[in-house]
Amino acid sequence: MSTNWALKIESLGKIHGIPDLRSLEDTGPEKGTAKSALTGSIVAAWDVSFEVAPGEALGVIGESGSGKSTVMRCIAGDQGSTTGAVRLRTVHDGHMNVLDLDPSSRRHLRVADLSVVYQDPAEGLRLNVTAGGNIAEALTAAGWRHFGRIRDRAAELLDRTEVPLSRMDDLVGTFSGGMRQRVQLAKALANEPPVILLDEPTTGLDASIAAGVLDLIRNLLEETGVAAVVVSHDFAVIEMLTTRCVVMNHGRIVESGLTDRLLEDPHHPYSQKLVGAARA
Amino acid sequence: MNTPLLQEILGNASRTDTNLDGSSSFKAQTLNFGLLDEYSKREIRRAILTAVAVPGYQVPFGSREMPVARGWGSGGLQISLAIVGPDDVVKVIDQGDDEGVNAVNLRRLIVSSTGIPESTTPEDSTLIQTRHRIPEDPLDARHTLVLQVPVPEPLRGVERDMRELARMHAEADYARMWVSLYEDKVRNGVITRTTGYPCLVNSRYVIATTPIPRWDIPRLHQSEFLSLFGAGREKRIYAVPPHTDVEPLTFEDVPFEVEKTPGAKCRNCASNNTFLVEVLATDVRQSYWVCSDSDWCRRHRELSDSSSQGLMT
């Protein structure tokens, strides 16, 4: 597992405000805060490291403000990071730190190397474009220029994510929340990326709809062999989708391990509190 | 409009200044060749050089106030006046017509401020300023085509944020342009975009083709002549140099087609292989077709008249 990774994160750190390393001394789980009283900076994430193998799903769990979304946004390139390295197997066989790429090349990774599914479908989709058109955007960005083949591929993807084909040519803005999320999944998978990041993919959906979307995600992850990072505050989601996970608290990883083990026997007091809350 | 009259209108005519002692001195001021001052010409020429060097790239330039309103050809006029020389012969058309009001006025302005001859035939012209057409006659290396552009930004329809537009052009990220074509085809079964069809220039930048009809698009591809596009209101100049690829954006399985109405031919010259426009007859409840290029039509009418006369004798 140490060499066979698709995505590798090394000591990723993000400090909002002055990137003064003294901020690290009075922040973190032991201090119970991410905001440094000394420098006024916020240590949103620090020393975050993990790797994900092809076909594996890794969970990142923590409460609101624990830094899990910051980590995801730093990997995706939606946000700059202060320090660390993000490596993708498809970029120079992992020898390149993608954080060093210029913004243009960085954005280009999102075409076929790295996909993101956001909690809010409006972030990943254009609501004033049809479902098929949204997928066409991903395909044309990757150089598809054949109308018939674009149509076929879009239909195939929507079928796989269980969106009725009769709605393929309707504007995504007219879709329900659950269906939008399915379209977002279809778009994210359009160019068969080796890595996919899922940020709270079912938060905000009704319980019954969320269960259906979760089921779909689990099947897709199994079928495609994509390496996935699932960010969530919900242990049920992490339990269903991932085999390994890390627990974040006040910007740091406090515990990591197999999801089963972590749920049965959490070591860190914060993990125990989280699991206790989920099991209550 | 003759030159002194023009000078009077522009407030630049000979002017009498009163000195402090009550005497007056006469200060003669004449218009510069081509109306624009030399600094303005230099600014515009520099933009043109950049535009030619980077085909299809929209170069921002310091658009001047002109004696025509912005949106009435001020961009094309500035290019024409910045590049015109004493040896040029100018032709100006509006939708193919040399006698359009706007074309006549722009031509008079160029002629009166330079003293160069004017013509309606491309054969005799070197500088052709046009609104939304390319003359039917084949143009060659002698010709410079100056197109008046209302909206230079081809991506305006899909994005309004200027910074995002700049990024999309910089990264050649035209996926959303393709999505708009995809959606058009899905909704209508065909790509309905008729005029100003988006084209990829030199395999790099997408440009708005002024709106010239689809008919004229293939003639920009690997052309013998230089095409300069000027948008005065939007302060942009771009260019298609000679021997440059201009490819209309279209899907591999959806061929690009030019306008064609089966059976239509020009009422005046009987041509059916030119760009025809439909004219509604006022007295009868019907319409007829005429050539959009009025000069071409006139010459071909005379040609067929004389040849039919020749047959009779």
CSV table of all heavy atoms in Angstrom, one decimal, chain B residues 12-50:
chain,number,residue,atom,x,y,z
B,12,ASN,N,-12.4,72.7,-36.2
B,12,ASN,CA,-11.0,72.7,-36.4
B,12,ASN,C,-10.6,73.7,-37.5
B,12,ASN,O,-9.5,73.9,-37.9
B,12,ASN,CB,-10.5,71.4,-36.8
B,12,ASN,CG,-9.8,70.7,-35.7
B,12,ASN,OD1,-9.5,71.3,-34.6
B,12,ASN,ND2,-9.5,69.4,-35.8
B,13,ALA,N,-11.6,74.4,-38.0
B,13,ALA,CA,-11.4,75.3,-39.2
B,13,ALA,C,-10.5,76.5,-38.7
B,13,ALA,O,-10.3,76.7,-37.6
B,13,ALA,CB,-12.7,75.9,-39.7
B,14,SER,N,-10.0,77.2,-39.7
B,14,SER,CA,-9.2,78.4,-39.4
B,14,SER,C,-9.8,79.3,-38.4
B,14,SER,O,-11.0,79.5,-38.4
B,14,SER,CB,-9.0,79.2,-40.7
B,14,SER,OG,-8.6,78.3,-41.8
B,15,ARG,N,-9.0,79.7,-37.5
B,15,ARG,CA,-9.6,80.3,-36.3
B,15,ARG,C,-8.9,81.7,-36.0
B,15,ARG,O,-7.7,81.8,-36.2
B,15,ARG,CB,-9.3,79.4,-35.1
B,15,ARG,CG,-9.9,79.7,-33.8
B,15,ARG,CD,-9.9,78.5,-32.9
B,15,ARG,NE,-8.7,78.5,-32.1
B,15,ARG,CZ,-8.0,77.4,-31.9
B,15,ARG,NH1,-8.4,76.3,-32.4
B,15,ARG,NH2,-6.9,77.4,-31.1
B,16,THR,N,-9.6,82.7,-35.6
B,16,THR,CA,-9.0,84.0,-35.3
B,16,THR,C,-8.9,84.2,-33.8
B,16,THR,O,-9.8,84.0,-33.1
B,16,THR,CB,-9.9,85.1,-35.9
B,16,THR,OG1,-10.1,84.8,-37.3
B,16,THR,CG2,-9.2,86.4,-35.8
B,17,ASP,N,-7.7,84.4,-33.4
B,17,ASP,CA,-7.5,84.6,-31.9
B,17,ASP,C,-7.3,86.1,-31.7
B,17,ASP,O,-6.6,86.8,-32.4
B,17,ASP,CB,-6.2,83.8,-31.4
B,17,ASP,CG,-6.5,82.4,-31.3
B,17,ASP,OD1,-7.6,81.9,-31.7
B,17,ASP,OD2,-5.6,81.6,-30.9
B,18,THR,N,-7.8,86.6,-30.6
B,18,THR,CA,-7.7,88.0,-30.2
B,18,THR,C,-6.5,88.1,-29.2
B,18,THR,O,-6.5,87.5,-28.2
B,18,THR,CB,-9.0,88.6,-29.6
B,18,THR,OG1,-10.0,88.2,-30.5
B,18,THR,CG2,-8.9,90.0,-29.5
B,19,ASN,N,-5.6,89.0,-29.5
B,19,ASN,CA,-4.5,89.2,-28.6
B,19,ASN,C,-4.8,90.2,-27.5
B,19,ASN,O,-5.9,90.8,-27.6
B,19,ASN,CB,-3.2,89.6,-29.4
B,19,ASN,CG,-2.7,88.6,-30.3
B,19,ASN,OD1,-3.0,87.4,-30.1
B,19,ASN,ND2,-2.1,89.0,-31.4
B,20,LEU,N,-4.0,90.3,-26.5
B,20,LEU,CA,-4.2,91.2,-25.4
B,20,LEU,C,-4.4,92.7,-25.8
B,20,LEU,O,-5.1,93.4,-25.2
B,20,LEU,CB,-3.1,91.0,-24.3
B,20,LEU,CG,-3.2,89.8,-23.4
B,20,LEU,CD1,-2.0,89.7,-22.5
B,20,LEU,CD2,-4.5,89.8,-22.6
B,21,ASP,N,-3.6,93.1,-26.8
B,21,ASP,CA,-3.6,94.5,-27.2
B,21,ASP,C,-4.7,94.8,-28.2
B,21,ASP,O,-4.8,95.9,-28.7
B,21,ASP,CB,-2.2,94.9,-27.8
B,21,ASP,CG,-1.9,94.0,-29.1
B,21,ASP,OD1,-2.8,93.2,-29.4
B,21,ASP,OD2,-0.9,94.2,-29.7
B,22,GLY,N,-5.6,93.8,-28.3
B,22,GLY,CA,-6.8,94.1,-29.2
B,22,GLY,C,-6.6,93.7,-30.6
B,22,GLY,O,-7.5,93.6,-31.4
B,23,SER,N,-5.3,93.6,-31.0
B,23,SER,CA,-5.1,93.1,-32.4
B,23,SER,C,-5.4,91.7,-32.6
B,23,SER,O,-5.5,90.9,-31.6
B,23,SER,CB,-3.6,93.4,-32.8
B,23,SER,OG,-2.8,92.5,-32.1
B,24,SER,N,-5.6,91.3,-33.7
B,24,SER,CA,-5.9,89.8,-33.9
B,24,SER,C,-4.9,89.2,-34.8
B,24,SER,O,-4.3,89.8,-35.7
B,24,SER,CB,-7.3,89.7,-34.5
B,24,SER,OG,-7.4,90.4,-35.7
B,25,SER,N,-4.6,87.9,-34.5
B,25,SER,CA,-3.7,87.2,-35.4
B,25,SER,C,-4.4,86.0,-36.0
B,25,SER,O,-5.2,85.3,-35.3
B,25,SER,CB,-2.5,86.7,-34.5
B,25,SER,OG,-2.9,85.8,-33.5
B,26,PHE,N,-4.0,85.6,-37.1
B,26,PHE,CA,-4.7,84.5,-37.8
B,26,PHE,C,-3.9,83.2,-37.6
B,26,PHE,O,-2.7,83.2,-37.9
B,26,PHE,CB,-4.8,84.8,-39.3
B,26,PHE,CG,-5.5,83.8,-40.1
B,26,PHE,CD1,-6.9,83.8,-40.0
B,26,PHE,CD2,-4.9,82.9,-40.9
B,26,PHE,CE1,-7.6,82.8,-40.7
B,26,PHE,CE2,-5.6,82.0,-41.6
B,26,PHE,CZ,-7.0,82.0,-41.5
B,27,LYS,N,-4.5,82.2,-37.1
B,27,LYS,CA,-3.8,81.0,-36.9
B,27,LYS,C,-4.4,79.9,-37.8
B,27,LYS,O,-5.6,79.6,-37.7
B,27,LYS,CB,-4.0,80.5,-35.4
B,27,LYS,CG,-2.7,79.9,-34.8
B,27,LYS,CD,-3.1,79.3,-33.5
B,27,LYS,CE,-2.5,80.3,-32.4
B,27,LYS,NZ,-2.9,79.8,-31.0
B,28,ALA,N,-3.6,79.5,-38.7
B,28,ALA,CA,-4.1,78.5,-39.7
B,28,ALA,C,-4.0,77.1,-39.1
B,28,ALA,O,-2.9,76.7,-38.6
B,28,ALA,CB,-3.4,78.6,-41.0
B,29,GLN,N,-5.0,76.3,-39.1
B,29,GLN,CA,-5.0,75.0,-38.7
B,29,GLN,C,-5.6,74.1,-39.8
B,29,GLN,O,-6.7,74.3,-40.2
B,29,GLN,CB,-5.7,74.8,-37.4
B,29,GLN,CG,-4.9,74.9,-36.2
B,29,GLN,CD,-5.6,74.4,-34.9
B,29,GLN,OE1,-6.7,75.0,-34.7
B,29,GLN,NE2,-5.1,73.4,-34.3
B,30,THR,N,-4.9,73.1,-40.2
B,30,THR,CA,-5.5,72.2,-41.2
B,30,THR,C,-5.6,70.8,-40.6
B,30,THR,O,-4.9,70.5,-39.6
B,30,THR,CB,-4.6,72.1,-42.5
B,30,THR,OG1,-3.2,71.9,-42.0
B,30,THR,CG2,-4.6,73.4,-43.3
B,31,LEU,N,-6.5,70.0,-41.1
B,31,LEU,CA,-6.7,68.7,-40.6
B,31,LEU,C,-5.5,67.8,-41.0
B,31,LEU,O,-4.9,68.0,-42.0
B,31,LEU,CB,-7.9,68.1,-41.3
B,31,LEU,CG,-9.2,68.4,-40.7
B,31,LEU,CD1,-10.4,67.8,-41.5
B,31,LEU,CD2,-9.3,67.9,-39.2
B,32,ASN,N,-5.2,66.9,-40.1
B,32,ASN,CA,-4.1,66.0,-40.4
B,32,ASN,C,-4.6,65.0,-41.4
B,32,ASN,O,-5.8,64.7,-41.5
B,32,ASN,CB,-3.7,65.2,-39.1
B,32,ASN,CG,-2.4,64.5,-39.2
B,32,ASN,OD1,-1.6,64.8,-40.1
B,32,ASN,ND2,-2.2,63.5,-38.4
B,33,PHE,N,-3.7,64.4,-42.2
B,33,PHE,CA,-4.1,63.4,-43.2
B,33,PHE,C,-4.8,62.2,-42.4
B,33,PHE,O,-4.2,61.7,-41.5
B,33,PHE,CB,-2.8,62.9,-43.9
B,33,PHE,CG,-3.1,61.8,-44.9
B,33,PHE,CD1,-3.5,62.1,-46.2
B,33,PHE,CD2,-3.0,60.5,-44.6
B,33,PHE,CE1,-3.8,61.2,-47.2
B,33,PHE,CE2,-3.3,59.5,-45.5
B,33,PHE,CZ,-3.7,59.8,-46.8
B,34,GLY,N,-6.0,61.9,-42.8
B,34,GLY,CA,-6.7,60.8,-42.2
B,34,GLY,C,-7.3,61.2,-40.8
B,34,GLY,O,-7.5,60.4,-40.0
B,35,LEU,N,-7.5,62.5,-40.7
B,35,LEU,CA,-8.3,63.0,-39.5
B,35,LEU,C,-7.6,62.8,-38.2
B,35,LEU,O,-7.4,63.8,-37.4
B,35,LEU,CB,-9.7,62.4,-39.5
B,35,LEU,CG,-10.7,63.1,-38.6
B,35,LEU,CD1,-11.0,64.5,-39.0
B,35,LEU,CD2,-12.0,62.3,-38.6
B,36,LEU,N,-7.2,61.6,-37.9
B,36,LEU,CA,-6.6,61.3,-36.6
B,36,LEU,C,-5.2,62.0,-36.5
B,36,LEU,O,-4.5,62.1,-37.4
B,36,LEU,CB,-6.4,59.8,-36.4
B,36,LEU,CG,-7.6,59.0,-36.3
B,36,LEU,CD1,-7.3,57.5,-36.5
B,36,LEU,CD2,-8.4,59.2,-35.0
B,37,ASP,N,-4.8,62.4,-35.2
B,37,ASP,CA,-3.5,62.9,-35.0
B,37,ASP,C,-2.5,61.7,-35.0
B,37,ASP,O,-2.9,60.6,-34.9
B,37,ASP,CB,-3.4,63.6,-33.7
B,37,ASP,CG,-3.7,62.7,-32.5
B,37,ASP,OD1,-4.9,62.5,-32.2
B,37,ASP,OD2,-2.7,62.2,-31.9
B,38,GLU,N,-1.2,62.0,-35.2
B,38,GLU,CA,-0.2,60.9,-35.4
B,38,GLU,C,-0.1,60.0,-34.2
B,38,GLU,O,0.2,58.9,-34.2
B,38,GLU,CB,1.1,61.5,-35.8
B,38,GLU,CG,1.1,62.2,-37.2
B,38,GLU,CD,0.7,61.2,-38.3
B,38,GLU,OE1,1.2,60.1,-38.3
B,38,GLU,OE2,-0.1,61.6,-39.1
B,39,TYR,N,-0.3,60.6,-33.0
B,39,TYR,CA,-0.2,59.8,-31.7
B,39,TYR,C,-1.4,58.7,-31.7
B,39,TYR,O,-1.1,57.6,-31.3
B,39,TYR,CB,-0.3,60.7,-30.5
B,39,TYR,CG,1.0,61.5,-30.4
B,39,TYR,CD1,0.9,62.9,-30.7
B,39,TYR,CD2,2.2,61.0,-30.0
B,39,TYR,CE1,2.0,63.7,-30.6
B,39,TYR,CE2,3.3,61.8,-29.9
B,39,TYR,CZ,3.2,63.1,-30.2
B,39,TYR,OH,4.4,63.9,-30.1
B,40,SER,N,-2.5,59.2,-32.1
B,40,SER,CA,-3.6,58.2,-32.1
B,40,SER,C,-3.4,57.1,-33.1
B,40,SER,O,-3.6,56.0,-32.9
B,40,SER,CB,-4.9,59.0,-32.5
B,40,SER,OG,-5.2,59.9,-31.5
B,41,LYS,N,-2.9,57.5,-34.3
B,41,LYS,CA,-2.6,56.5,-35.3
B,41,LYS,C,-1.6,55.5,-34.8
B,41,LYS,O,-1.7,54.3,-35.1
B,41,LYS,CB,-2.0,57.2,-36.6
B,41,LYS,CG,-3.0,58.0,-37.4
B,41,LYS,CD,-2.3,58.5,-38.7
B,41,LYS,CE,-3.2,59.4,-39.4
B,41,LYS,NZ,-2.5,60.0,-40.6
B,42,ARG,N,-0.5,56.0,-34.1
B,42,ARG,CA,0.5,55.1,-33.6
B,42,ARG,C,-0.1,54.1,-32.6
B,42,ARG,O,0.2,52.9,-32.6
B,42,ARG,CB,1.6,55.9,-32.9
B,42,ARG,CG,2.7,55.0,-32.5
B,42,ARG,CD,4.0,55.8,-32.2
B,42,ARG,NE,3.8,56.6,-31.0
B,42,ARG,CZ,4.7,57.3,-30.4
B,42,ARG,NH1,5.9,57.5,-31.0
B,42,ARG,NH2,4.5,58.0,-29.3
B,43,GLU,N,-1.0,54.6,-31.7
B,43,GLU,CA,-1.7,53.8,-30.8
B,43,GLU,C,-2.4,52.7,-31.5
B,43,GLU,O,-2.3,51.5,-31.2
B,43,GLU,CB,-2.6,54.6,-29.9
B,43,GLU,CG,-3.7,53.9,-29.2
B,43,GLU,CD,-3.3,53.1,-28.0
B,43,GLU,OE1,-2.1,53.2,-27.6
B,43,GLU,OE2,-4.1,52.3,-27.5
B,44,ILE,N,-3.2,53.1,-32.5
B,44,ILE,CA,-4.0,52.1,-33.2
B,44,ILE,C,-3.2,51.1,-34.0
B,44,ILE,O,-3.4,49.9,-34.0
B,44,ILE,CB,-5.0,52.8,-34.1
B,44,ILE,CG1,-6.0,53.7,-33.2
B,44,ILE,CG2,-5.8,51.9,-35.0
B,44,ILE,CD1,-6.7,54.7,-34.0
B,45,ARG,N,-2.1,51.7,-34.7
B,45,ARG,CA,-1.2,50.8,-35.4
B,45,ARG,C,-0.5,49.8,-34.6
B,45,ARG,O,-0.3,48.6,-34.9
B,45,ARG,CB,-0.2,51.6,-36.2
B,45,ARG,CG,-0.7,52.4,-37.3
B,45,ARG,CD,0.3,53.3,-37.9
B,45,ARG,NE,-0.3,54.2,-38.9
B,45,ARG,CZ,0.3,55.3,-39.3
B,45,ARG,NH1,1.5,55.7,-38.7
B,45,ARG,NH2,-0.2,56.1,-40.2
B,46,ARG,N,-0.1,50.2,-33.4
B,46,ARG,CA,0.5,49.2,-32.4
B,46,ARG,C,-0.4,48.1,-32.1
B,46,ARG,O,-0.1,46.9,-32.1
B,46,ARG,CB,0.9,49.9,-31.2
B,46,ARG,CG,2.2,50.7,-31.3
B,46,ARG,CD,2.6,51.4,-30.1
B,46,ARG,NE,3.9,52.0,-30.1
B,46,ARG,CZ,4.4,52.8,-29.2
B,46,ARG,NH1,3.7,53.1,-28.1
B,46,ARG,NH2,5.7,53.2,-29.3
B,47,ALA,N,-1.7,48.5,-31.8
B,47,ALA,CA,-2.7,47.5,-31.5
B,47,ALA,C,-2.9,46.5,-32.7
B,47,ALA,O,-3.0,45.3,-32.5
B,47,ALA,CB,-4.0,48.1,-31.1
B,48,ILE,N,-2.9,47.1,-33.9
B,48,ILE,CA,-3.0,46.3,-35.1
B,48,ILE,C,-1.9,45.3,-35.3
B,48,ILE,O,-2.0,44.1,-35.6
B,48,ILE,CB,-3.2,47.1,-36.4
B,48,ILE,CG1,-4.5,47.9,-36.3
B,48,ILE,CG2,-3.1,46.3,-37.6
B,48,ILE,CD1,-4.6,49.0,-37.4
B,49,LEU,N,-0.6,45.8,-35.0
B,49,LEU,CA,0.5,44.9,-35.1
B,49,LEU,C,0.5,43.8,-34.1
B,49,LEU,O,0.7,42.6,-34.5
B,49,LEU,CB,1.8,45.7,-34.9
B,49,LEU,CG,2.2,46.7,-36.0
B,49,LEU,CD1,3.4,47.5,-35.6
B,49,LEU,CD2,2.6,45.9,-37.2
B,50,THR,N,0.0,44.0,-32.9
B,50,THR,CA,-0.1,43.0,-31.9
B,50,THR,C,-1.2,42.0,-32.4
B,50,THR,O,-1.0,40.8,-32.3
B,50,THR,CB,-0.6,43.5,-30.6
B,50,THR,OG1,0.3,44.6,-30.2
B,50,THR,CG2,-0.5,42.5,-29.5
